[in-house]
Structures are given as C-alpha cells and as structure tokens.
Amino acid sequence: MQQEKHSKAMVLGLQHLLAMYSGSILVPMMIGQALGYNSEQLTYLVSTDIFMCGVATFLQLQLNKYFGIGLPVVLGVAFQSVAPLTIIGQSHGSGAMFGALIVSGIFVVLVSGIFSKLANYFPAIVTGSVITTIGLTLIPVAIGNMGNNVANPSLESLLLALITVFIILVVNIFTKGFLKSISILLGLVIGTLIASGMGQVNFTPVSQAPLLHIPTVFYFGAPTFEFSSIVMMCIIATVSMVESTGVYLALSDITKDPIDATRLRNGYRAEGLAVLLGGMFNTFPYTGFSQNVGLVKMSGIKTRLPIYYAAAFLVLLGLLPKFGALAQIIPSPVIGGAMIVMFGFVSLQGMQMLARVDFVNNEHNFLIAAVSIAVGVGFNNSNLFNSLPTAFRMFFSNGIVMASILAVVLNAILNRKKK
C-alpha cells in the first residue's frame, strides 16, 4: 500500500516536472544568449538553474515556524526577471546582475513579515496591469527568436517557428489533462526533431558537456553591487511576491488548507532564500509557478509528497549537464515559436485578472490600467532616455519596473477612498 502510494506520487511528481521544464530552461537560455555566454557557460547556467528550481521547491515545501508555505507548490525562475536582468548584465556585467539578486533576496526575507500583512493592498488592478505588461514586453523577444535574431530571417526560420506554434495549438485543442499541460514542451521537442531533419540542429554542446557537475558559488566571478540595479531587482522581487501570493491563495483554496499571515510570511522568506541562493550560485530569482496550480487542480492531489518527488527530480537533472546541454540544441526559431505562445498566455493571465476589476463603477481603474500598461510597453527598451545617465536610463527604459511603480502609485492615489 505504501509502495503504491509512493509510485503514484513519483508519477505525479514527474508530471509536474514536465509541466514546468520548458519554462525553466527558456529563461536562462534567453538571458545567457542575450549576454553572449558561450556553450560551456550556457550549459552551466541551464543545469544549475534546474538544480536550484529543485532546491527552491524543497525550501517552499517546508512547514515550520521559520520558512516555507507548506503547500504543493513548484518554484521556477521568474519570467518578469528576463528584461531587467538582461539590461543589468549588458550595462554593468554579470557581477552586477548576481549582486543585485543577492541583495533582492535579502530584501524579500527582511520585508516578508510586513508584506504578509500588506498583500491585500495589491489588488487585481495592480497585479493584472503588471502581469499584462510582463507578457506584452516579452513578446518582441519571442519575435526576434522566431527570425533567428538576424536582420533578414530565412524562410526556413519562419517556417520552423510557425510549425512549432501550430504543434502547440494542436496539442492544446485536441488533447486533455497531462498532454495538454506539456504542450509547450511537446512543441519544443517536435519542433527540434523537424529542425534536425532540416539540418539545423547542432549536437556539439551535448557531446562536449560533462557527465556530472556540482553547482559552483560565484561561477561567473565575484558579485558587484550597483545601486540602480539593486533597486530594479527589489522592485521585480516585490512583483514576484504579489504573483506568488495569488499562487499560494489558489493552492490553499484547491487543497482546502487555509493559510494565514504567518504562513504567507514564511512563504515569502523561502522565496527570498531561494533568490539569495540563486544569486550566489549565479542563477536567477524564483517564484511560485502558476502553470503548476492548474496541474494540482487537475490531478486532485492534496499532499506535498508528489512535489517532493518533483523537487528531487529537478535536483538530479541539474547535476547532469548533458540534460542542460539539450536545451542548447533547440534552434532559436523553435524557441521563438514556443515563446510567442507562452508570453501570450502570460498576457492573457494578466487580462483575466483585469476582467475581475470593477471598471463600470470606478472609472479611475481605467486610468490606472491604461497608463501603467501603455507606459510599461511604450517605455520598454525605448531610446527616449538615451540622454540620461546609465542608471536612470536602465530604470526608466524597463517597462515592467515602470508599470509596477505606476500601477501601485496611481492605485494608492486614485483609489485611496475605496475599501
């Protein structure tokens, strides 16, 4: 009986790993490629990121008086970190990127108690505007990959990207349950197989990757601490806490396991510790993965055991660099096709949140959403601020940061009399 219970939990854990795997490998690939990392560095980045996803999930599964939300939650790398980390890395180098992450992790741990009592002051108008902006500002990155990131994309690149999108759509339309939950992963795998038949897949990174590796502290060098980068990542960390709050509350409702301010605080602490470790081991910030919430609901699990198995699988895969190197053989057009769907999902997730907002009886909400989203999308990577010093240019040309600040400030001012 006990063996059967663990066998089922293992299968469910594997299902959770597959559902979040594509998201976990895409973010380090996007940031690493944008910063010009070589094949060896990309293999380290992806492998260690997978490993740290497992460690972060282990931390969050705990249920003690210090840290851990104690719900069946899977932690993965935060999509909202892609644009700001790329900007920081390109402007100040990898050291500043990981230094800002370390400080932002400490920031989350320190403010966790306060934020657990303030979470209700980040209503759907704020979170919906921010998450919509995140999706919309990342879509141009997907388009660039679809065209193989060259000035004159080939017809083959466009064809591969569209085939990948088509596969993901077909899987989503004609399948249910588990297969539907891994549609992005299936699109990446099948798209890569088709690309291989076209001679567009290079297997060198896999053959050159070692069989085993151990994550290394400060692999990319000692961290540096640049003020504007730190402020930017603390803002992104706050956005992640808002997003995670929604994940925790949804899981609490599904599992019928009520959470209070203390458990929320411990959940934020675990997230902060994960971000701190991510900075030290030169990976990225971690947050509750919303796509796995649907999987919890679908599978009907009420315990953390399957997620423990998922975390163990992630740690194991992270120690085997050849699995990390597999991510590198995926051609850019295939990644772009998967990205365009994923970032579309993120945008729609934000719009679903906005759909719950009262725009009929409160016209101020129109202003908050309109201005924050328009500024977030318009200012992102804009040349408007090229005449400003680097620190200010980084700050104002980051659409996610600007949308977050504007949404919070406008809501605090315009809705101050609302309950």
Side-chain angles (χ1 to χ4, degrees):
M1 188 72 178
Q2 195 74 9
Q3 187 177 356
E4 185 183 349
K5 175 185 173 184
H6 279 273
S7 297
K8 287 181 178 177
M10 194 181 296
V11 172
L12 288 169
L14 182 62
Q15 180 173 262
H16 274 278
L17 179 143
L18 292 173
M20 57 86 70
Y21 188 77
S22 54
S24 296
I25 62 173
L26 281 179
V27 172
M29 287 294 293
M30 288 163 62
I31 296 174
Q33 288 172 352
L35 299 182
Y37 288 170
N38 61 34
S39 177
E40 183 184 339
Q41 291 171 321
L42 281 172
T43 297
Y44 173 85
L45 204 62
V46 174
S47 298
T48 307
D49 185 67
I50 295 167
F51 177 86
M52 289 306 302
C53 283
V55 172
T57 302
F58 270 126
L59 289 172
Q60 199 59 282
L61 287 170
Q62 305 308 308
L63 188 56
N64 59 53
K65 62 181 181 179
Y66 299 112
F67 62 86
I69 195 73
L71 290 169
V73 58
V74 176
L75 266 69
V77 64
F79 274 106
Q80 54 265 37
S81 68
V82 173
L85 286 175
T86 301
I87 292 170
I88 294 168
Q90 290 173 339
S91 302
H92 299 288
S94 297
M97 188 169 70
F98 297 119
L101 278 177
I102 289 170
V103 177
S104 67
I106 296 169
F107 165 78
V108 172
V109 172
L110 293 177
V111 304
S112 58
I114 299 169
F115 198 83
S116 65
K117 297 177 177 65
L118 296 179
N120 291 334
Y121 292 92
F122 291 84
I125 185 63
V126 172
T127 54
S129 298
V130 171
I131 291 173
T132 301
T133 304
I134 289 168
L136 294 177
T137 54
L138 288 174
I139 285 171
V141 178
I143 299 297
N145 276 275
M146 290 175 78
N148 217 9
N149 292 308
V150 295
N152 297 302
S154 67
L155 188 60
E156 277 189 341
S157 295
L158 180 60
L159 189 62
L160 264 179
L162 293 177
I163 287 171
T164 304
V165 173
F166 177 74
I167 292 164
I168 295 169
L169 291 176
V170 167
V171 173
N172 266 282
I173 294 167
F174 295 106
T175 66
K176 293 181 180 179
F178 174 56
L179 282 178
K180 187 174 182 178
S181 73
I182 61 166
S183 60
I184 300 289
L185 186 65
L186 289 174
L188 289 171
V189 171
I190 299 171
T192 302
L193 289 174
I194 294 169
S196 180
M198 297 165 67
Q200 293 201 22
V201 176
N202 178 14
F203 291 94
T204 306
V206 179
S207 62
Q208 291 181 344
L211 291 173
L212 185 72
H213 93 131
I214 303 298
T216 307
V217 175
F218 305 137
Y219 175 87
F220 289 97
T224 58
F225 302 97
E226 196 274 324
F227 181 72
S228 64
S229 303
I230 289 169
V231 171
M232 192 182 295
M233 290 317 299
C234 286
I235 291 171
I236 295 299
T238 305
V239 173
S240 293
M241 283 195 286
V242 173
E243 186 181 357
S244 290
T245 303
V247 171
Y248 302 152
L249 293 174
L251 286 171
S252 172
D253 183 59
I254 292 168
T255 60
K256 308 302 178 191
D257 182 6
I259 54 174
D260 54 15
T262 301
R263 283 182 70 178
L264 274 177
R265 179 203 67 193
N266 291 351
Y268 300 140
R269 276 185 186 171
E271 205 164 294
L273 288 171
V275 175
L276 171 61
L277 289 171
M280 290 174 63
F281 285 95
N282 292 171
T283 58
F284 304 115
Y286 298 94
T287 188
F289 252 31
S290 55
Q291 54 261 55
N292 286 76
V293 175
L295 208 50
V296 170
K297 188 170 185 178
M298 183 193 78
S299 59
I301 67 169
K302 303 289 183 184
T303 70
R304 291 167 284 160
L305 185 59
I307 313 302
Y308 272 112
Y309 274 107
F313 290 143
L314 284 164
V315 168
L316 181 63
L317 285 181
L319 295 174
L320 305 172
K322 288 195 182 292
F323 281 96
L326 279 173
Q328 291 186 58
I329 71 171
I330 306 172
S332 287
V334 174
I335 292 176
M339 281 179 182
I340 199 77
V341 180
M342 287 181 75
F343 299 154
F345 281 162
V346 174
S347 302
L348 263 294
Q349 185 184 355
M351 292 175 192
Q352 281 183 320
M353 291 179 176
L354 290 175
R356 300 197 295 267
V357 175
D358 181 8
F359 289 109
V360 176
N361 300 310
N362 184 1
E363 62 183 18
H364 289 159
N365 285 332
F366 270 113
L367 286 173
I368 296 166
V371 174
S372 57
I373 293 172
V375 167
V377 175
F379 281 16
N380 196 60
N381 295 325
S382 169
N383 61 359
L384 276 174
F385 309 101
N386 284 357
S387 59
L388 297 178
T390 303
F392 288 98
R393 186 169 70 246
M394 282 174 54
F395 196 83
F396 287 111
S397 62
N398 187 307
I400 299 168
V401 171
M402 293 307 297
S404 303
I405 293 172
L406 272 173
V408 170
V409 171
L410 288 175
N411 179 66
I413 295 170
L414 297 178
N415 286 336
R416 65 188 182 279
K417 294 180 181 178
K418 299 287 179 183
K419 188 172 179 180

